[in-house]
């Protein structure tokens, strides 16, 4: 996901399968040139089939990868595309390991999510319909999210604005406590839809191209000072007698 993270820079593909009756296929590699594993369903421990996961290709999905075996630890959403290195599926440098995988349920093209300030669906409420929200604060909602209802669609929440930090998956259903989505604290600051390419042409989330830094400006020449039209005569030393 220091929280110096980049959002996923997947390479979108042309077609995908998903939704009801979907087929799923993900290829974890030791690296793109090394040994690969082909998965079409849940895998509780990929290390039974490979020594490590250094890159991933999602041919149809979406999927969620986990930091530890048994679908435990930090979560990483993997939509259709290519992930050539660990920094393309996480912007958090605390973890660069994928140990288990499972398909994500995508139940339709519509998306609706309710966020609540307190556990048990109490307190202030924010409703999000068919939109991605890079900052809850910008929409007048605080960063404390203690419960949630995924009314339709599949969502991923992030602990920081701009889709950065730890990721939390919200599939269709109710989450009465932040522990229900695997968080250790009730903090979410941005959310986005996980969109399957059966209904959405671009399907996967693609990071925007970062703006290149401004080049170092060329220092301007210092202009010559305007000469004094009436210069004072220089002091002259008189010779000693």
């Amino acid at each position: 996901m220091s929280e110096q993270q980049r959002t996923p820079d997947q390479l979108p593909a042309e077609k995908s399968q998903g939704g009801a009756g979907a087929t799923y296929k993900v290829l974890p590699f030791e690296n793109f040139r090394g040994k690969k594993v082909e998965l079409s369903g849940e895998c509780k421990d990929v290390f039974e089939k490979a020594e490590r996961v250094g890159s991933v290709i999602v041919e149809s999905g979406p999927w969620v990868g986990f930091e530890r075996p048994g679908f435990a630890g930090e979560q990483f959403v993997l939509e259709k595309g290519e992930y050539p290195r660990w920094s393309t599926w996480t912007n958090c440098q605390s973890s660069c390991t994928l140990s288990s995988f499972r398909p994500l349920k995508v139940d339709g093209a519509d998306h609706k999510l309710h966020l609540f300030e307190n556990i048990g669906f109490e307190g202030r409420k924010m409703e999000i319909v068919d939109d991605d929200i890079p900052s809850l604060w910008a929409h007048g909602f605080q960063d404390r999210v203690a419960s949630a209802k995924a009314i339709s669609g599949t969502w991923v929440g992030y602990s920081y604005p701009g889709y950065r930090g730890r990721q939390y998956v919200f599939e269709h259903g109710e989450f009465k406590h932040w522990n229900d989505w695997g968080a250790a604290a009730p903090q979410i600051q941005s959310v986005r839809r996980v969109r399957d390419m059966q209904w959405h042409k671009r399907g996967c989330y693609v990071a925007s191209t970062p703006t290149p830094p401004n080049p170092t400006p060329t220092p301007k020449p210092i202009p010559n000072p305007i000469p004094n039209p009436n210069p004072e005569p220089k002091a002259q030393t008189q010779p000693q007698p």
Side-chain angles (χ1 to χ4, degrees):
M1 278 206 15
S2 102
E3 302 290 32
Q4 183 66 30
Q5 175 183 7
R6 294 191 307 165
T7 46
D9 56 353
Q10 300 99 306
L11 305 178
E14 294 295 328
K15 296 176 63 179
S16 176
Q17 299 178 8
T23 60
Y24 291 83
K25 185 176 180 181
V26 64
L27 304 173
F29 290 76
E30 293 183 0
N31 57 65
F32 276 165
R33 296 180 180 177
K35 181 181 178 181
K36 71 177 180 180
V37 177
E38 182 175 320
L39 303 176
S40 57
E42 293 183 351
C43 178
K44 293 185 176 180
D45 189 354
V46 74
F47 296 132
E48 294 178 352
K49 303 178 181 182
E51 293 184 3
R52 63 182 294 272
V53 176
S55 54
V56 177
I57 295 177
V58 178
E59 293 195 355
S60 56
W63 293 74
V64 56
F66 294 84
E67 175 189 8
R68 298 199 296 270
F71 316 125
E74 197 168 347
Q75 307 168 35
F76 310 99
V77 173
L78 304 168
E79 292 167 274
K80 185 176 177 67
E82 298 184 356
Y83 303 77
R85 56 194 177 279
W86 70 269
S87 60
T88 57
W89 65 73
T90 174
N91 54 26
C92 181
Q93 296 182 359
S94 64
S95 176
C96 58
T97 302
L98 291 174
S99 303
S100 51
F101 296 83
R102 71 170 178 84
L104 273 177
K105 301 173 186 176
V106 180
D107 62 354
D110 298 328
H111 289 78
K112 181 184 289 188
L113 178 68
H114 292 170
L115 305 177
F116 298 86
E117 179 184 14
N118 299 325
I119 62 174
F121 318 120
E122 300 290 340
R124 296 185 64 203
K125 171 185 172 182
M126 180 177 183
E127 180 178 89
I128 305 169
V129 180
D130 290 329
D131 200 6
D132 298 332
I133 307 296
S135 172
L136 299 186
W137 280 100
H139 289 259
F141 199 74
Q142 70 284 329
D143 62 350
R144 177 183 169 85
V145 177
S147 56
K149 291 182 180 180
I151 308 299
S152 58
T154 303
W155 299 76
V156 53
Y158 296 81
S159 57
Y160 294 105
Y163 317 121
R164 298 179 301 113
R166 287 183 174 269
Q167 303 177 27
Y168 306 108
V169 173
F170 296 92
E171 292 170 287
H172 181 263
E174 298 185 348
F175 304 81
K176 294 183 177 180
H177 192 281
W178 63 83
N179 293 157
D180 294 343
W181 61 75
Q187 178 177 315
I188 290 179
Q189 296 189 34
S190 54
V191 295
R192 69 174 180 88
R193 296 160 290 177
V194 179
R195 296 183 289 177
D196 184 88
M197 291 184 72
Q198 175 174 337
W199 295 288
H200 299 275
K201 194 176 235 182
R202 287 201 52 167
C204 67
Y205 175 78
V206 180
S208 59
T209 303
T211 303
N214 294 327
T216 303
T218 304
K220 296 181 180 180
I222 300 175
N224 294 326
I226 300 175
N228 190 339
N230 299 307
E232 296 181 1
K234 294 182 180 180
Q236 296 182 357
T237 304
Q238 297 296 327
Q240 294 294 330

